[in-house]
Amino acid sequence: MKLLIVSDQESKYLYDHFDKEKFSDVDLIISCGDLKPAYLSYLVTMINAPLFYVHGNHDENYIKTPPEGCESIDGKLVIFEGVRILGIGGSRKYREGLHQYSERQMSLKIAKLYPKLLKHKGIDILVTHSPALGLGDGKDLIHMGFPQFNKLLTQYEPKFHFHGHQHLNYGYNERIHHFGQTTIINGYGYYLINY
């Protein structure tokens, strides 16, 4: 199964210079947040694959204009072609606004998902907007990761963790990290991977 991961910045390669042949074998698109609804609607139309997304801290406009033809998996565990995917959107709380959480609020958000995690005996892919603490995050409060994600990675050992929020052009980050059995990928711009 081929996955297209997108996050945080619209790629000119996908938007302005789109070549349908190069993405004809994509089975699923996953957005890790902070992209315009129209961009996600464009991708799901042009690539003709389902698109799952979580909310980023700048996605307040999704309330009035959600991306058409796309499915929010924020706060949900979904199964796609036998693959268990858990979605958790948002960033650390740094101002008043939607999709921002204190550590306590994020713990409560995750606690609501435990019945589904137990029912499905874990997850194969974790999709978040923010990274896990110390695994591709930033040093400032806004871009610092959540330790609750580290706990999920330790407990369930998913094959992949996809996130956004930490832009690669900030100069001190790498796209791929590893944590135990999990490969962590920052979806900034876009990234293709085989599951």
Side-chain angles (χ1 to χ4, degrees), residues 77-110:
L77 193 158
V78 297
I79 299 176
F80 180 78
E81 295 188 9
V83 177
R84 301 162 298 173
I85 305 171
L86 181 69
I88 305 172
S91 73
R92 282 186 176 263
K93 189 172 190 71
Y94 60 93
R95 63 169 169 81
E96 289 304 314
L98 294 175
H99 313 304
Q100 296 177 45
Y101 305 92
S102 67
E103 285 193 17
R104 184 176 186 282
Q105 290 170 324
M106 182 55 76
S107 292
L108 292 171
K109 185 174 181 174
I110 292 171

Side-chain angles (χ1 to χ4, degrees), residues 34-171:
D34 281 356
L35 290 167
K36 292 178 186 173
Y39 181 68
L40 297 187
S41 298
Y42 165 82
L43 290 177
V44 78
T45 301
M46 297 302 289
I47 295 176
N48 195 28
L51 191 153
F52 295 157
Y53 69 89
V54 296
H55 295 100
N57 53 301
H58 297 299
D59 290 339
E60 294 175 353
N61 58 342
Y62 282 35
I63 293 173
K64 290 184 179 178
T65 315
E68 295 179 14
C70 306
E71 181 181 346
S72 172
I73 61 166
D74 200 341
K76 298 177 185 175
L77 193 158
V78 297
I79 299 176
F80 180 78
E81 295 188 9
V83 177
R84 301 162 298 173
I85 305 171
L86 181 69
I88 305 172
S91 73
R92 282 186 176 263
K93 189 172 190 71
Y94 60 93
R95 63 169 169 81
E96 289 304 314
L98 294 175
H99 313 304
Q100 296 177 45
Y101 305 92
S102 67
E103 285 193 17
R104 184 176 186 282
Q105 290 170 324
M106 182 55 76
S107 292
L108 292 171
K109 185 174 181 174
I110 292 171
K112 292 177 184 177
L113 295 166
Y114 276 113
K116 292 177 184 175
L117 288 164
L118 287 171
K119 178 183 175 183
H120 295 288
K121 299 182 171 109
I123 52 174
D124 303 301
I125 298 174
L126 174 62
V127 178
T128 64
H129 178 60
S130 289
L133 185 65
L135 297 168
D137 61 346
K139 302 194 186 324
D140 58 318
L141 174 65
I142 296 172
H143 297 98
M144 190 180 298
F146 282 104
Q148 291 84 353
F149 299 163
N150 300 63
K151 290 177 185 176
L152 286 172
L153 297 176
T154 299
Q155 186 170 359
Y156 295 105
E157 297 184 327
K159 183 172 183 177
F160 291 109
H161 174 199
F162 304 136
H163 71 85
H165 194 49
Q166 182 66 22
H167 295 202
L168 294 177
N169 61 0
Y170 288 168

